[in-house]
PDB file of all heavy atoms in Angstrom:
ATOM      1  N   ARG Y   1       8.254  -0.006 -14.932  1.00  0.00           N
ATOM      2  CA  ARG Y   1       7.630   0.813 -13.972  1.00  0.00           C
ATOM      3  C   ARG Y   1       6.171   1.093 -14.325  1.00  0.00           C
ATOM      4  O   ARG Y   1       5.308   1.152 -13.440  1.00  0.00           O
ATOM      5  CB  ARG Y   1       8.327   2.175 -13.943  1.00  0.00           C
ATOM      6  CG  ARG Y   1       7.754   3.158 -12.952  1.00  0.00           C
ATOM      7  CD  ARG Y   1       8.515   4.509 -12.975  1.00  0.00           C
ATOM      8  NE  ARG Y   1       7.813   5.471 -12.219  1.00  0.00           N
ATOM      9  CZ  ARG Y   1       8.303   6.112 -11.168  1.00  0.00           C
ATOM     10  NH1 ARG Y   1       9.494   5.796 -10.744  1.00  0.00           N
ATOM     11  NH2 ARG Y   1       7.583   7.028 -10.493  1.00  0.00           N
ATOM     12  N   LEU Y   2       5.833   1.184 -15.613  1.00  0.00           N
ATOM     13  CA  LEU Y   2       4.433   1.608 -15.995  1.00  0.00           C
ATOM     14  C   LEU Y   2       3.492   0.416 -15.561  1.00  0.00           C
ATOM     15  O   LEU Y   2       2.437   0.610 -15.038  1.00  0.00           O
ATOM     16  CB  LEU Y   2       4.353   1.863 -17.487  1.00  0.00           C
ATOM     17  CG  LEU Y   2       4.916   3.175 -17.943  1.00  0.00           C
ATOM     18  CD1 LEU Y   2       4.854   3.253 -19.454  1.00  0.00           C
ATOM     19  CD2 LEU Y   2       4.213   4.352 -17.264  1.00  0.00           C
ATOM     20  N   THR Y   3       3.925  -0.854 -15.879  1.00  0.00           N
ATOM     21  CA  THR Y   3       3.082  -1.990 -15.490  1.00  0.00           C
ATOM     22  C   THR Y   3       2.968  -2.065 -13.987  1.00  0.00           C
ATOM     23  O   THR Y   3       1.852  -2.366 -13.437  1.00  0.00           O
ATOM     24  CB  THR Y   3       3.684  -3.282 -16.076  1.00  0.00           C
ATOM     25  OG1 THR Y   3       3.682  -3.236 -17.495  1.00  0.00           O
ATOM     26  CG2 THR Y   3       2.840  -4.491 -15.635  1.00  0.00           C
ATOM     27  N   PHE Y   4       4.040  -1.842 -13.268  1.00  0.00           N
ATOM     28  CA  PHE Y   4       4.029  -1.888 -11.847  1.00  0.00           C
ATOM     29  C   PHE Y   4       3.137  -0.814 -11.272  1.00  0.00           C
ATOM     30  O   PHE Y   4       2.322  -1.090 -10.355  1.00  0.00           O
ATOM     31  CB  PHE Y   4       5.446  -1.707 -11.307  1.00  0.00           C
ATOM     32  CG  PHE Y   4       5.622  -1.755  -9.803  1.00  0.00           C
ATOM     33  CD1 PHE Y   4       5.401  -3.022  -9.131  1.00  0.00           C
ATOM     34  CD2 PHE Y   4       5.885  -0.691  -9.090  1.00  0.00           C
ATOM     35  CE1 PHE Y   4       5.533  -3.090  -7.724  1.00  0.00           C
ATOM     36  CE2 PHE Y   4       6.001  -0.723  -7.710  1.00  0.00           C
ATOM     37  CZ  PHE Y   4       5.859  -1.945  -7.048  1.00  0.00           C
ATOM     38  N   GLU Y   5       3.214   0.412 -11.812  1.00  0.00           N
ATOM     39  CA  GLU Y   5       2.352   1.479 -11.311  1.00  0.00           C
ATOM     40  C   GLU Y   5       0.899   1.154 -11.572  1.00  0.00           C
ATOM     41  O   GLU Y   5       0.000   1.478 -10.710  1.00  0.00           O
ATOM     42  CB  GLU Y   5       2.747   2.788 -11.925  1.00  0.00           C
ATOM     43  CG  GLU Y   5       1.991   3.964 -11.405  1.00  0.00           C
ATOM     44  CD  GLU Y   5       2.504   5.346 -11.880  1.00  0.00           C
ATOM     45  OE1 GLU Y   5       3.723   5.467 -12.047  1.00  0.00           O
ATOM     46  OE2 GLU Y   5       1.696   6.229 -12.092  1.00  0.00           O
ATOM     47  N   GLY Y   6       0.616   0.616 -12.719  1.00  0.00           N
ATOM     48  CA  GLY Y   6      -0.766   0.258 -12.976  1.00  0.00           C
ATOM     49  C   GLY Y   6      -1.306  -0.751 -11.968  1.00  0.00           C
ATOM     50  O   GLY Y   6      -2.449  -0.692 -11.569  1.00  0.00           O
ATOM     51  N   ALA Y   7      -0.467  -1.758 -11.638  1.00  0.00           N
ATOM     52  CA  ALA Y   7      -0.862  -2.747 -10.642  1.00  0.00           C
ATOM     53  C   ALA Y   7      -1.076  -2.066  -9.284  1.00  0.00           C
ATOM     54  O   ALA Y   7      -2.013  -2.500  -8.559  1.00  0.00           O
ATOM     55  CB  ALA Y   7       0.207  -3.857 -10.548  1.00  0.00           C
ATOM     56  N   LEU Y   8      -0.238  -1.097  -8.943  1.00  0.00           N
ATOM     57  CA  LEU Y   8      -0.432  -0.366  -7.679  1.00  0.00           C
ATOM     58  C   LEU Y   8      -1.750   0.340  -7.676  1.00  0.00           C
ATOM     59  O   LEU Y   8      -2.432   0.335  -6.638  1.00  0.00           O
ATOM     60  CB  LEU Y   8       0.750   0.593  -7.480  1.00  0.00           C
ATOM     61  CG  LEU Y   8       2.117   0.040  -7.178  1.00  0.00           C
ATOM     62  CD1 LEU Y   8       3.119   1.203  -7.148  1.00  0.00           C
ATOM     63  CD2 LEU Y   8       2.068  -0.740  -5.793  1.00  0.00           C
ATOM     64  N   ARG Y   9      -2.064   1.005  -8.742  1.00  0.00           N
ATOM     65  CA  ARG Y   9      -3.300   1.759  -8.809  1.00  0.00           C
ATOM     66  C   ARG Y   9      -4.521   0.784  -8.634  1.00  0.00           C
ATOM     67  O   ARG Y   9      -5.508   1.127  -8.001  1.00  0.00           O
ATOM     68  CB  ARG Y   9      -3.439   2.584 -10.135  1.00  0.00           C
ATOM     69  CG  ARG Y   9      -2.382   3.743 -10.138  1.00  0.00           C
ATOM     70  CD  ARG Y   9      -2.573   4.581 -11.379  1.00  0.00           C
ATOM     71  NE  ARG Y   9      -1.528   5.604 -11.527  1.00  0.00           N
ATOM     72  CZ  ARG Y   9      -1.575   6.798 -10.853  1.00  0.00           C
ATOM     73  NH1 ARG Y   9      -2.630   7.130 -10.106  1.00  0.00           N
ATOM     74  NH2 ARG Y   9      -0.638   7.689 -11.040  1.00  0.00           N
ATOM     75  N   GLY Y  10      -4.369  -0.330  -9.287  1.00  0.00           N
ATOM     76  CA  GLY Y  10      -5.445  -1.316  -9.138  1.00  0.00           C
ATOM     77  C   GLY Y  10      -5.575  -1.816  -7.698  1.00  0.00           C
ATOM     78  O   GLY Y  10      -6.721  -2.001  -7.220  1.00  0.00           O
ATOM     79  N   LEU Y  11      -4.426  -2.033  -7.121  1.00  0.00           N
ATOM     80  CA  LEU Y  11      -4.419  -2.499  -5.639  1.00  0.00           C
ATOM     81  C   LEU Y  11      -5.071  -1.403  -4.770  1.00  0.00           C
ATOM     82  O   LEU Y  11      -5.882  -1.747  -3.932  1.00  0.00           O
ATOM     83  CB  LEU Y  11      -2.948  -2.633  -5.254  1.00  0.00           C
ATOM     84  CG  LEU Y  11      -2.700  -3.288  -3.865  1.00  0.00           C
ATOM     85  CD1 LEU Y  11      -3.221  -4.725  -3.838  1.00  0.00           C
ATOM     86  CD2 LEU Y  11      -1.159  -3.274  -3.613  1.00  0.00           C
ATOM     87  N   PHE Y  12      -4.720  -0.164  -5.024  1.00  0.00           N
ATOM     88  CA  PHE Y  12      -5.278   0.921  -4.256  1.00  0.00           C
ATOM     89  C   PHE Y  12      -6.833   0.988  -4.473  1.00  0.00           C
ATOM     90  O   PHE Y  12      -7.593   1.053  -3.496  1.00  0.00           O
ATOM     91  CB  PHE Y  12      -4.728   2.235  -4.670  1.00  0.00           C
ATOM     92  CG  PHE Y  12      -5.236   3.436  -3.896  1.00  0.00           C
ATOM     93  CD1 PHE Y  12      -4.639   3.845  -2.680  1.00  0.00           C
ATOM     94  CD2 PHE Y  12      -6.383   4.118  -4.298  1.00  0.00           C
ATOM     95  CE1 PHE Y  12      -5.219   4.860  -1.936  1.00  0.00           C
ATOM     96  CE2 PHE Y  12      -6.895   5.211  -3.579  1.00  0.00           C
ATOM     97  CZ  PHE Y  12      -6.315   5.575  -2.341  1.00  0.00           C
ATOM     98  N   GLY Y  13      -7.261   0.889  -5.689  1.00  0.00           N
ATOM     99  CA  GLY Y  13      -8.629   0.926  -6.001  1.00  0.00           C
ATOM    100  C   GLY Y  13      -9.446  -0.159  -5.343  1.00  0.00           C
ATOM    101  O   GLY Y  13     -10.626   0.030  -4.922  1.00  0.00           O
ATOM    102  N   ARG Y  14      -8.880  -1.381  -5.274  1.00  0.00           N
ATOM    103  CA  ARG Y  14      -9.631  -2.532  -4.680  1.00  0.00           C
ATOM    104  C   ARG Y  14      -9.737  -2.365  -3.182  1.00  0.00           C
ATOM    105  O   ARG Y  14     -10.732  -2.872  -2.550  1.00  0.00           O
ATOM    106  CB  ARG Y  14      -8.914  -3.828  -5.009  1.00  0.00           C
ATOM    107  CG  ARG Y  14      -9.034  -4.264  -6.419  1.00  0.00           C
ATOM    108  CD  ARG Y  14      -8.592  -5.681  -6.637  1.00  0.00           C
ATOM    109  NE  ARG Y  14      -7.229  -5.905  -6.203  1.00  0.00           N
ATOM    110  CZ  ARG Y  14      -6.155  -5.684  -6.982  1.00  0.00           C
ATOM    111  NH1 ARG Y  14      -6.331  -5.127  -8.170  1.00  0.00           N
ATOM    112  NH2 ARG Y  14      -4.929  -5.976  -6.565  1.00  0.00           N
ATOM    113  N   HIS Y  15      -8.791  -1.659  -2.498  1.00  0.00           N
ATOM    114  CA  HIS Y  15      -8.729  -1.717  -1.061  1.00  0.00           C
ATOM    115  C   HIS Y  15      -8.993  -0.383  -0.389  1.00  0.00           C
ATOM    116  O   HIS Y  15      -9.163  -0.339   0.831  1.00  0.00           O
ATOM    117  CB  HIS Y  15      -7.382  -2.214  -0.577  1.00  0.00           C
ATOM    118  CG  HIS Y  15      -7.134  -3.670  -0.966  1.00  0.00           C
ATOM    119  ND1 HIS Y  15      -7.769  -4.702  -0.360  1.00  0.00           N
ATOM    120  CD2 HIS Y  15      -6.364  -4.228  -1.933  1.00  0.00           C
ATOM    121  CE1 HIS Y  15      -7.344  -5.870  -0.909  1.00  0.00           C
ATOM    122  NE2 HIS Y  15      -6.537  -5.615  -1.867  1.00  0.00           N
ATOM    123  N   GLN Y  16      -9.186   0.682  -1.175  1.00  0.00           N
ATOM    124  CA  GLN Y  16      -9.399   1.989  -0.596  1.00  0.00           C
ATOM    125  C   GLN Y  16     -10.777   2.061   0.044  1.00  0.00           C
ATOM    126  O   GLN Y  16     -11.726   1.497  -0.377  1.00  0.00           O
ATOM    127  CB  GLN Y  16      -9.185   3.146  -1.601  1.00  0.00           C
ATOM    128  CG  GLN Y  16     -10.170   3.032  -2.775  1.00  0.00           C
ATOM    129  CD  GLN Y  16     -11.515   3.730  -2.448  1.00  0.00           C
ATOM    130  OE1 GLN Y  16     -11.601   4.633  -1.563  1.00  0.00           O
ATOM    131  NE2 GLN Y  16     -12.563   3.366  -3.177  1.00  0.00           N
ATOM    132  N   GLN Y  17     -10.815   2.795   1.132  1.00  0.00           N
ATOM    133  CA  GLN Y  17     -12.036   3.122   1.779  1.00  0.00           C
ATOM    134  C   GLN Y  17     -12.065   4.605   2.098  1.00  0.00           C
ATOM    135  O   GLN Y  17     -11.180   5.093   2.803  1.00  0.00           O
ATOM    136  CB  GLN Y  17     -12.207   2.282   3.097  1.00  0.00           C
ATOM    137  CG  GLN Y  17     -12.327   0.837   2.912  1.00  0.00           C
ATOM    138  CD  GLN Y  17     -12.605   0.047   4.176  1.00  0.00           C
ATOM    139  OE1 GLN Y  17     -12.665   0.632   5.267  1.00  0.00           O
ATOM    140  NE2 GLN Y  17     -12.779  -1.214   4.058  1.00  0.00           N
ATOM    141  N   GLY Y  18     -13.047   5.247   1.529  1.00  0.00           N
ATOM    142  CA  GLY Y  18     -13.055   6.726   1.670  1.00  0.00           C
ATOM    143  C   GLY Y  18     -11.902   7.433   1.094  1.00  0.00           C
ATOM    144  O   GLY Y  18     -11.461   8.497   1.512  1.00  0.00           O
ATOM    145  N   GLY Y  19     -11.347   6.831  -0.002  1.00  0.00           N
ATOM    146  CA  GLY Y  19     -10.252   7.386  -0.717  1.00  0.00           C
ATOM    147  C   GLY Y  19      -8.888   7.196  -0.128  1.00  0.00           C
ATOM    148  O   GLY Y  19      -7.901   7.925  -0.442  1.00  0.00           O
ATOM    149  N   ALA Y  20      -8.791   6.233   0.823  1.00  0.00           N
ATOM    150  CA  ALA Y  20      -7.517   6.043   1.505  1.00  0.00           C
ATOM    151  C   ALA Y  20      -7.305   4.578   1.777  1.00  0.00           C
ATOM    152  O   ALA Y  20      -8.268   3.808   1.908  1.00  0.00           O
ATOM    153  CB  ALA Y  20      -7.463   6.825   2.797  1.00  0.00           C
ATOM    154  N   VAL Y  21      -6.056   4.154   1.943  1.00  0.00           N
ATOM    155  CA  VAL Y  21      -5.597   2.840   2.367  1.00  0.00           C
ATOM    156  C   VAL Y  21      -4.698   3.024   3.566  1.00  0.00           C
ATOM    157  O   VAL Y  21      -4.124   4.127   3.771  1.00  0.00           O
ATOM    158  CB  VAL Y  21      -4.934   2.029   1.344  1.00  0.00           C
ATOM    159  CG1 VAL Y  21      -5.876   1.733   0.196  1.00  0.00           C
ATOM    160  CG2 VAL Y  21      -3.656   2.667   0.822  1.00  0.00           C
ATOM    161  N   GLU Y  22      -4.437   1.988   4.333  1.00  0.00           N
ATOM    162  CA  GLU Y  22      -3.592   2.007   5.487  1.00  0.00           C
ATOM    163  C   GLU Y  22      -2.528   0.947   5.425  1.00  0.00           C
ATOM    164  O   GLU Y  22      -2.835  -0.170   5.167  1.00  0.00           O
ATOM    165  CB  GLU Y  22      -4.482   1.848   6.738  1.00  0.00           C
ATOM    166  CG  GLU Y  22      -3.692   2.012   8.097  1.00  0.00           C
ATOM    167  CD  GLU Y  22      -4.595   1.957   9.275  1.00  0.00           C
ATOM    168  OE1 GLU Y  22      -5.069   3.111   9.671  1.00  0.00           O
ATOM    169  OE2 GLU Y  22      -4.808   0.920   9.812  1.00  0.00           O
ATOM    170  N   PHE Y  23      -1.248   1.376   5.664  1.00  0.00           N
ATOM    171  CA  PHE Y  23      -0.211   0.412   5.844  1.00  0.00           C
ATOM    172  C   PHE Y  23      -0.043   0.162   7.361  1.00  0.00           C
ATOM    173  O   PHE Y  23       0.067   1.188   8.138  1.00  0.00           O
ATOM    174  CB  PHE Y  23       1.152   1.045   5.337  1.00  0.00           C
ATOM    175  CG  PHE Y  23       1.480   0.720   3.930  1.00  0.00           C
ATOM    176  CD1 PHE Y  23       0.515   0.341   3.054  1.00  0.00           C
ATOM    177  CD2 PHE Y  23       2.823   0.727   3.527  1.00  0.00           C
ATOM    178  CE1 PHE Y  23       0.858   0.039   1.710  1.00  0.00           C
ATOM    179  CE2 PHE Y  23       3.174   0.406   2.216  1.00  0.00           C
ATOM    180  CZ  PHE Y  23       2.218   0.046   1.318  1.00  0.00           C
ATOM    181  N   GLN Y  24      -0.072  -1.039   7.775  1.00  0.00           N
ATOM    182  CA  GLN Y  24       0.222  -1.407   9.167  1.00  0.00           C
ATOM    183  C   GLN Y  24       1.669  -1.843   9.352  1.00  0.00           C
ATOM    184  O   GLN Y  24       2.209  -2.513   8.439  1.00  0.00           O
ATOM    185  CB  GLN Y  24      -0.707  -2.485   9.684  1.00  0.00           C
ATOM    186  CG  GLN Y  24      -2.160  -2.087   9.751  1.00  0.00           C
ATOM    187  CD  GLN Y  24      -2.960  -2.454   8.554  1.00  0.00           C
ATOM    188  OE1 GLN Y  24      -2.524  -3.238   7.712  1.00  0.00           O
ATOM    189  NE2 GLN Y  24      -4.138  -1.883   8.370  1.00  0.00           N
ATOM    190  N   TYR Y  25       2.239  -1.400  10.446  1.00  0.00           N
ATOM    191  CA  TYR Y  25       3.654  -1.784  10.710  1.00  0.00           C
ATOM    192  C   TYR Y  25       3.773  -2.430  12.095  1.00  0.00           C
ATOM    193  O   TYR Y  25       2.971  -2.114  13.020  1.00  0.00           O
ATOM    194  CB  TYR Y  25       4.525  -0.526  10.764  1.00  0.00           C
ATOM    195  CG  TYR Y  25       4.597   0.221   9.438  1.00  0.00           C
ATOM    196  CD1 TYR Y  25       3.839   1.378   9.246  1.00  0.00           C
ATOM    197  CD2 TYR Y  25       5.398  -0.179   8.407  1.00  0.00           C
ATOM    198  CE1 TYR Y  25       3.884   2.150   8.170  1.00  0.00           C
ATOM    199  CE2 TYR Y  25       5.480   0.548   7.184  1.00  0.00           C
ATOM    200  CZ  TYR Y  25       4.701   1.717   7.051  1.00  0.00           C
ATOM    201  OH  TYR Y  25       4.756   2.390   5.901  1.00  0.00           O
ATOM    202  N   ARG Y  26       4.808  -3.254  12.228  1.00  0.00           N
ATOM    203  CA  ARG Y  26       5.320  -3.605  13.533  1.00  0.00           C
ATOM    204  C   ARG Y  26       6.569  -2.837  13.744  1.00  0.00           C
ATOM    205  O   ARG Y  26       7.548  -2.997  13.044  1.00  0.00           O
ATOM    206  CB  ARG Y  26       5.625  -5.153  13.561  1.00  0.00           C
ATOM    207  CG  ARG Y  26       4.442  -6.037  13.416  1.00  0.00           C
ATOM    208  CD  ARG Y  26       4.909  -7.489  13.109  1.00  0.00           C
ATOM    209  NE  ARG Y  26       6.076  -7.844  13.902  1.00  0.00           N
ATOM    210  CZ  ARG Y  26       7.202  -8.270  13.342  1.00  0.00           C
ATOM    211  NH1 ARG Y  26       7.372  -8.292  12.062  1.00  0.00           N
ATOM    212  NH2 ARG Y  26       8.245  -8.664  14.144  1.00  0.00           N
ATOM    213  N   SER Y  27       6.582  -1.936  14.739  1.00  0.00           N
ATOM    214  CA  SER Y  27       7.762  -1.133  15.038  1.00  0.00           C
ATOM    215  C   SER Y  27       8.553  -1.910  16.027  1.00  0.00           C
ATOM    216  O   SER Y  27       8.229  -1.980  17.229  1.00  0.00           O
ATOM    217  CB  SER Y  27       7.410   0.238  15.573  1.00  0.00           C
ATOM    218  OG  SER Y  27       6.734   0.998  14.555  1.00  0.00           O
ATOM    219  N   VAL Y  28       9.686  -2.507  15.559  1.00  0.00           N
ATOM    220  CA  VAL Y  28      10.434  -3.381  16.406  1.00  0.00           C
ATOM    221  C   VAL Y  28      11.771  -2.735  16.788  1.00  0.00           C
ATOM    222  O   VAL Y  28      12.385  -2.077  15.976  1.00  0.00           O
ATOM    223  CB  VAL Y  28      10.727  -4.748  15.714  1.00  0.00           C
ATOM    224  CG1 VAL Y  28       9.444  -5.511  15.447  1.00  0.00           C
ATOM    225  CG2 VAL Y  28      11.471  -4.521  14.404  1.00  0.00           C
ATOM    226  N   GLY Y  29      12.168  -2.874  18.062  1.00  0.00           N
ATOM    227  CA  GLY Y  29      13.348  -2.257  18.530  1.00  0.00           C
ATOM    228  C   GLY Y  29      14.206  -3.190  19.427  1.00  0.00           C
ATOM    229  O   GLY Y  29      13.676  -4.102  20.037  1.00  0.00           O
ATOM    230  N   LEU Y  30      15.496  -2.932  19.367  1.00  0.00           N
ATOM    231  CA  LEU Y  30      16.454  -3.645  20.214  1.00  0.00           C
ATOM    232  C   LEU Y  30      17.419  -2.686  20.808  1.00  0.00           C
ATOM    233  O   LEU Y  30      18.022  -1.887  20.086  1.00  0.00           O
ATOM    234  CB  LEU Y  30      17.203  -4.725  19.391  1.00  0.00           C
ATOM    235  CG  LEU Y  30      18.110  -5.692  20.133  1.00  0.00           C
ATOM    236  CD1 LEU Y  30      17.269  -6.703  20.844  1.00  0.00           C
ATOM    237  CD2 LEU Y  30      19.116  -6.391  19.142  1.00  0.00           C
ATOM    238  N   CYS Y  31      17.518  -2.691  22.114  1.00  0.00           N
ATOM    239  CA  CYS Y  31      18.537  -1.910  22.806  1.00  0.00           C
ATOM    240  C   CYS Y  31      19.671  -2.844  23.392  1.00  0.00           C
ATOM    241  O   CYS Y  31      19.299  -3.924  23.880  1.00  0.00           O
ATOM    242  CB  CYS Y  31      17.925  -1.103  24.015  1.00  0.00           C
ATOM    243  SG  CYS Y  31      17.040   0.388  23.484  1.00  0.00           S
TER     244      CYS Y  31
END
């Protein structure tokens, strides 16, 4: 977990803009 969390923090630091990052989703549905 510690190594993984460190990698996540690095990922956030590389991609943040104004202190935030965005996850994009495809919201898919079937009726």
Side-chain angles (χ1 to χ4, degrees):
R1 181 183 171 117
L2 288 178
T3 297
F4 181 70
E5 183 172 326
L8 288 174
R9 292 184 185 277
L11 187 65
F12 182 89
R14 289 193 301 277
H15 295 285
Q16 63 84 24
Q17 294 185 358
V21 296
E22 185 172 272
F23 266 27
Q24 292 96 13
Y25 300 100
R26 295 166 42 241
S27 295
V28 297
L30 187 74
C31 283

